[in-house]
Amino acid sequence: MAADIVTAKVTGRVPPSPEAEAKLTEIISEKYGAPVKLVFERDSSVVAGFRLTVGDDIYDWSLERHLSDIKEKLSRSAAAENAGGHVSAEGLIPLMHEAIEDWTPRIVSETIGRVVTVGDGIATVSGLSDAEYGEILLFDGGVRGLAEELDEDKIGCILFGGDENIKSGSRVYRTGKTAGIPVGEGFIGRVIDPLGTPLDGKGAIAADDYMPTEAPAPGIIDRTPVSTPLETGLLVIDSMFPIGRGQRELIIGDRRTGKTTIATDTIINQKGKDVICIYVAIGQKASSVAKIADTLASHGAMEYTTVVLASASDSVPIQYIAPYAGCTLGEYFMKRGRDVLIVYDDLSKHAVAYRTMSLLLGRFPGREAYPGDVFYLHSRLLERAAKLSPELGGGSMTALPIVETLSGDVSAYIPTNTISITDGQIYLESNLFHSGQRPAVNVSLSVSRVGGDAQTPAMRSASKSLRLLLEQYGETEVFTRFSSDLDETTRRSIMYGELLTAFMRQPKNSPMSAEHQIIVLVAALSHAADGVPASRAPEFALGLCAYFDEKLPSVSRELAEKKTLSDELREKIVTAATEYALEFIGSEN
C-alpha cells in the first residue's frame, strides 16, 4: 500500500485552514504509510469542524462530536460526585467549567459499510467486519436493521423499515446497540407494533425503560415450582388440564377450531385478578386483530392488556421479532413482581416467517425447508416464561403459544418441536368443533404436565374422576357404533357420558368463575342432573349457577375463601342441585 496514494475526503461547511490541512495530511500519511491527497466536499449539516473519510474509516472532528465528548465527560464527573448521577444546580456549574477547560479535541474513528444487495426486507452489507450478531445497524435514510448472518466478507441484515431508499452502495453504520423495545406501564391498554410504535391512534407512549428483545431465560435457581392457578374460565380446561402461573401450555389444532377463542376467553377471565395480559398477533389480518381488540375492550379486558401486532402485510423481519418484543414487555412486569399472561398467535406463522427470512439470507434448508435452528428459535422464547423466586420478586409469566396443524397432523415439524418445549398441550379437534362441542378439546390427546399442582384443593377434589369417565365414554361410544343391541347398563353409561360431555360446552366469551365450575362439576358427577337432556346441559349449568347465587350465595363465598371442598359443603351442593334439577326438568315437561 506504500506505493499508492491515499485519498481522504474532508467534509464540512468551510474548507480547513492550510495549517489544519497540513496537520491532517501528516496524521493520515503516518497512519496509512502512503502519500495523502485531500479532497474537500461541502456539507452544510456540519455546523463547525469537519469529518474526514478514508476508505471505510470516518474520523469525526466536528462540533457535534466535540459536544458529545463534553457531555460524556460531564456525566462521568456528575456520577463521581453523586452515586446516582444527579447533582444540584450549584454543583453543576463548577463541573461544566471543569469539563470545558479539561477538554482536548480528539479524532474518533468509526467504520462504515456499504450495501451490496437489498430486497425483500433483507440487505447484504460489506465493510463491517467488526459488527456483532444481533447488533442494530443504521442505514442511510434512518432505516434500522439487525445483523442476523455473519460471514467472513459480508453481513446479512434484516430491515425494520422499507427498503425503497436503500440501494447498492448506500452507507451503513454500526450503533453498538442490540435490538430492543421501549417498555413501561404506559403500554398497558394500547395496540403497538413490535418496535413499540402505537397503532391505535391514541398518541405517543411514555416509556419507563428500554430493554433488549433477546435475553437469557431465568436459570433453575431463579425459578420456583408452578403452584398458583391461572384460571381460563373454561370448565373443560380448568378441571382436567389446569394451567399454573409460570407454565407454558400449547394450544394446538387445525385452522378454525377455536384456538384464538380459548386465548381471548382466558384474557377476559383475568379481569380483577391482577394479571397483565399481552396478546401477540403474528401474521394475522389487521382487521381480525381489530375485532379481537374490540372484543377485549367490550369486556373491560383492554384495561390490563397490550396487543402487539405484526400483521400479514408487515415485512418478514417485523413478524420475526414480534414474539420477542412481546416477551420483553412481559419480562419488564415479571421482574417487578407482577403476574403476566402472554399469548403467541401463532408460532406456526412465526416459523414460516423465519424460514422465509433464513432462505433469503442464504441459510441451508433442512426438514420441511426450515433451517436447522428453528427449534432454538422457539425454545429460547418459551423458556423465558417462568415463576420467579421470592428473592427476585416472585413475578411470573405464563405463555400460551398457539400452533396450527394441517389435517390434524401433530407429528409435523413445528408441532412436535413446540410440544417438546412446552409443559402440556390443549388439542382442539375439527370433528368435535363441527359437531357443536365447543371448546373442541380432545380429552385423550390433551395434557397438562403440571396437573393438580395448578389447582385449588376444591377443584382437584371436584374433578378427580372426570377425565377417566370421559375417556371411558369415548371408547364405549366408538364400540357401540357397530351394535344396535345394547344392554341397560351400557345404555345408561353412554347417556351419562353424553351428559358430562355436554356440560363441557361453553358459550364464546363467557368464562365461568372457579366457584361456579366446582358447583357444576359436583352436580354433574354426583348424578344430581341425570334427568337433564344433554342438549340442554349448558342451559342447566348457567341456571344452576344463577340459582346458587340467588338462594345459596354462602356456597360460592366459602369456596372462594377456603379453597377447599368439605363433605358438608359437597352435600349441600348435591341437595340444592337435585332440587333445581327437578324444577328444571319439570319446567321442560
Side-chain angles (χ1 to χ4, degrees):
M1 184 176 180
D4 299 329
I5 296 178
V6 176
T7 301
K9 183 174 68 175
V10 181
T11 306
R13 185 181 291 269
V14 296
S17 64
E19 294 80 5
E21 188 173 330
K23 183 65 173 176
L24 288 174
T25 301
E26 179 185 348
I27 294 175
I28 300 303
S29 177
E30 181 180 347
K31 179 175 178 61
Y32 291 92
V36 178
K37 177 184 176 182
L38 293 182
V39 178
F40 176 73
E41 182 178 293
R42 193 175 303 277
D43 186 351
S44 58
S45 65
V46 180
V47 178
F50 49 84
R51 293 189 180 97
L52 188 68
T53 305
V54 184
D56 287 338
D57 295 334
I58 296 179
Y59 298 87
D60 196 341
W61 210 355
S62 64
L63 177 62
E64 182 182 7
R65 172 65 71 176
H66 295 171
L67 293 177
S68 177
D69 289 346
I70 293 175
K71 180 180 177 181
E72 181 181 349
K73 181 174 178 59
L74 189 60
S75 300
R76 290 198 302 266
S77 300
E81 289 285 327
N82 187 304
H86 302 286
V87 294
S88 64
E90 294 79 6
L92 184 61
I93 295 175
L95 289 177
M96 292 178 64
H97 283 298
E98 181 183 346
I100 295 173
E101 290 173 358
D102 292 347
W103 170 69
T104 302
R106 61 189 178 95
I107 297 177
V108 180
S109 173
E110 59 179 336
T111 57
I112 61 172
R114 299 285 177 177
V115 174
V116 179
T117 60
V118 62
D120 298 317
I122 304 293
T124 303
V125 178
S126 65
L128 292 180
S129 58
D130 54 347
E132 298 179 359
Y133 176 82
E135 182 179 353
I136 291 292
L137 304 180
L138 186 62
F139 291 75
D140 278 345
V143 176
R144 288 180 294 168
L146 182 69
E148 188 70 21
E149 184 76 11
L150 303 182
D151 293 333
E152 290 185 5
D153 56 346
K154 65 181 184 297
I155 295 174
C157 184
I158 60 177
L159 303 177
F160 295 140
D163 56 11
E164 298 83 7
N165 298 324
I166 301 175
K167 59 187 68 175
S168 179
S170 296
R171 291 179 298 184
V172 187
Y173 306 90
R174 290 188 60 191
T175 65
K177 299 179 180 178
T178 57
I181 181 176
V183 294
E185 296 284 342
F187 288 88
I188 299 177
R190 302 297 299 272
V191 180
I192 62 173
D193 68 10
L195 302 178
T197 306
L199 302 175
D200 50 13
K202 297 181 180 179
I205 303 174
D208 298 334
D209 200 356
Y210 185 88
M211 296 175 60
T213 53
E214 293 277 8
I220 297 297
I221 304 301
D222 299 332
R223 301 172 183 250
T224 56
V226 174
S227 58
T228 306
L230 188 137
E231 293 149 352
T232 65
L234 301 173
L235 180 59
V236 65
I237 295 176
D238 291 340
S239 60
M240 293 182 284
F241 317 107
I243 300 172
R245 298 190 180 187
Q247 188 175 343
R248 302 152 299 178
E249 184 77 2
L250 174 65
I251 303 174
I252 186 170
D254 283 1
R255 186 172 180 267
R256 293 190 175 278
T257 51
K259 301 185 297 297
T260 299
T261 300
I262 287 180
T264 53
D265 283 357
T266 304
I267 293 175
I268 292 171
N269 194 55
Q270 304 314 308
K271 187 173 184 179
K273 298 180 180 176
D274 196 25
V275 176
I276 296 172
C277 300
I278 301 171
Y279 176 79
V280 183
I282 310 163
Q284 310 290 331
K285 292 190 295 184
S287 58
S288 300
V289 179
K291 291 179 182 178
I292 292 173
D294 288 342
T295 299
L296 295 176
S298 65
H299 289 82
M302 279 303 293
E303 298 174 2
Y304 51 85
T305 302
T306 300
V307 176
V308 181
L309 171 60
S311 69
S313 61
D314 285 325
S315 65
V316 168
I318 291 294
Q319 294 182 40
Y320 161 69
I321 203 172
Y324 300 103
C327 185
T328 299
L329 183 59
E331 282 182 330
Y332 171 79
F333 296 107
M334 177 180 69
K335 291 178 179 179
R336 281 156 180 77
R338 308 285 293 275
D339 291 314
V340 179
L341 167 66
I342 185 165
V343 176
Y344 302 111
D345 190 7
D346 62 59
L347 290 188
S348 51
K349 289 186 175 64
H350 180 241
V352 169
Y354 184 67
R355 176 174 63 186
T356 303
M357 188 179 74
S358 297
L359 293 175
L360 290 171
L361 287 168
R363 293 174 178 166
F364 291 107
R367 178 179 168 187
E368 297 182 23
Y370 289 103
D373 62 343
V374 72
F375 179 88
Y376 179 61
L377 172 77
H378 291 152
S379 64
R380 74 176 191 263
L381 170 70
L382 297 174
E383 285 292 339
R384 291 163 71 177
K387 170 69 174 176
L388 296 181
S389 64
E391 292 78 13
L392 295 177
S396 70
M397 183 160 62
T398 308
L400 294 182
I402 296 176
V403 166
E404 184 177 299
T405 56
L406 182 62
S407 300
D409 184 12
V410 295
S411 64
Y413 194 24
I414 300 304
T416 53
N417 278 348
T418 48
I419 286 173
S420 63
I421 295 168
T422 51
D423 304 313
Q425 69 273 351
I426 297 168
Y427 178 66
L428 304 183
E429 188 176 342
S430 297
N431 292 337
L432 290 175
F433 183 84
H434 295 306
S435 68
Q437 185 67 29
R438 302 178 184 179
V441 177
N442 184 307
V443 175
S444 299
L445 296 181
S446 301
V447 66
S448 172
R449 297 186 182 94
V450 175
D453 290 345
Q455 287 179 315
T456 63
M459 177 62 78
R460 192 160 55 245
S461 174
S463 62
K464 60 184 178 181
S465 61
L466 177 61
R467 183 173 182 178
L468 178 61
L469 290 171
L470 289 177
E471 288 184 340
Q472 288 176 343
Y473 160 70
E475 294 176 359
T476 305
E477 194 268 341
V478 169
F479 283 112
T480 55
R481 292 178 189 174
F482 305 100
S483 175
S484 58
D485 186 16
L486 302 177
D487 61 83
E488 184 64 18
T489 302
T490 303
R491 190 180 65 83
R492 286 182 177 276
S493 174
I494 291 177
M495 289 180 60
Y496 182 53
E498 288 178 351
L499 182 61
L500 288 181
T501 301
F503 271 120
M504 298 299 108
R505 296 174 189 158
Q506 213 166 318
K508 183 179 180 180
N509 300 329
S510 301
M512 187 183 296
S513 69
E515 296 74 39
H516 284 167
Q517 291 181 15
I518 293 170
I519 291 171
V520 171
L521 285 172
V522 171
L525 294 174
S526 65
H527 297 273
D530 277 5
V532 176
S535 60
R536 298 191 65 191
E539 179 186 347
F540 174 83
L542 292 175
L544 180 65
C545 295
Y547 177 82
F548 270 83
D549 288 344
E550 180 182 355
K551 301 292 182 64
L552 294 167
S554 60
V555 172
S556 294
R557 190 164 53 247
E558 184 176 343
L559 287 172
E561 292 174 355
K562 295 185 178 180
K563 309 291 185 185
T564 57
L565 181 63
S566 63
D567 292 340
E568 294 180 5
L569 189 59
R570 183 190 292 271
E571 186 64 31
K572 186 184 293 187
I573 294 173
V574 172
T575 302
T578 303
E579 294 175 359
Y580 177 75
L582 292 174
E583 294 179 9
F584 186 85
I585 296 170
S587 65
E588 183 183 36
N589 298 330

